[in-house]
Amino acid sequence: MFKKLAIGLGIAIAIAAIVVCVIPLQPVSYTVTVPYQDTETYYESEPYQVEEPYTYTTAESLALFSGETYALPAGSLMPFQFHIDVVDKSQNIVSGRVTARAGGEFLFYVFDQKNYNAYKAGGSWQAYVSPGRVTDYSFSFVPDHSDYYYFVISNTFSIFTNKLVEISATWNWQETKQGYETVTKYRDVEKQRVVTKYRQETHYKQVSFLDYWLNYAPY
């Protein structure tokens, strides 16, 4: 009888040991690191090109006379008209030379429109160039307003002698102009990409009572 009781008690203890040590009956929580995919926004500097205006100064010139020779009978004059526009131009200057190729001295003048009209009418006038009688003369003047300018070769003082006169003249100026150039600039462009991130998650599992007491019990 005692033997049977001991056997039964042993079996009970074995079953209890199995239940405590092996069979997962106690729920516990634990934390794990879990990867996941996410869309990330980022910015990248990218070049682009634009056309931008800029100003520059250029030297310009125009030949008014190019060494032409003119015959002037006695008692005559010869006017030459040129329109000179100085708007948006700087450092305007007209320079040249008049030379007697035959006949000797002659008169030479440069007028604007108003003073040329006064000269023709026999009134009071002012000239940009008026050297008197010359045979070889280099000249220059500044056209100070936009107008018609008159270059006058005169042989009016001569009664018998014809003249042959050569003339050269060039108008020089500087002009500010606008051009366009290609410029590279940079801007931040929004983009997206898929990246792997990680987060902590709480999971649950069943453990044996022994495992719980050894590893999870809060004491």
Side-chain angles (χ1 to χ4, degrees), residues 26 31 57 122 151 163 169 172 183 219:
Q26 177 65 38
T31 301
T57 300
F151 296 73
K163 308 294 172 67
N172 293 280
V183 177
Y219 55 80

Side-chain angles (χ1 to χ4, degrees), residues 1-2 16 18 27 64 68 71 79 93 107 115 118-119 126 131 136 159 179 190 194 196 199 207:
M1 180 71 178
F2 179 77
I18 293 173
L64 306 179
E68 295 88 351
I93 189 168
L107 293 170
N115 285 283
Y119 168 78
Q126 287 185 332
D136 187 18
I159 299 175
E190 182 180 301
V194 176
T196 299
R199 63 188 173 207
V207 298

Side-chain angles (χ1 to χ4, degrees), residues 105-179:
E105 294 179 334
F106 60 92
L107 293 170
F108 178 65
Y109 309 94
V110 178
F111 302 104
D112 61 11
Q113 182 72 68
K114 176 183 176 181
N115 285 283
Y116 175 69
N117 293 340
Y119 168 78
K120 283 181 59 181
S124 178
W125 50 265
Q126 287 185 332
Y128 285 86
V129 178
S130 178
R133 295 186 183 188
V134 294
T135 56
D136 187 18
Y137 180 69
S138 295
F139 64 91
S140 65
F141 71 95
V142 175
D144 52 11
H145 62 285
S146 297
D147 204 348
Y148 286 99
Y149 287 81
Y150 290 80
F151 296 73
V152 180
I153 305 171
S154 173
N155 192 26
T156 54
F157 64 88
S158 180
I159 299 175
F160 303 108
T161 307
N162 299 330
K163 308 294 172 67
L164 194 63
V165 178
E166 180 183 319
I167 181 170
S168 299
T170 302
W171 169 30
N172 293 280
W173 73 92
Q174 289 191 352
E175 189 170 348
T176 299
K177 297 183 179 181
Q178 180 171 287

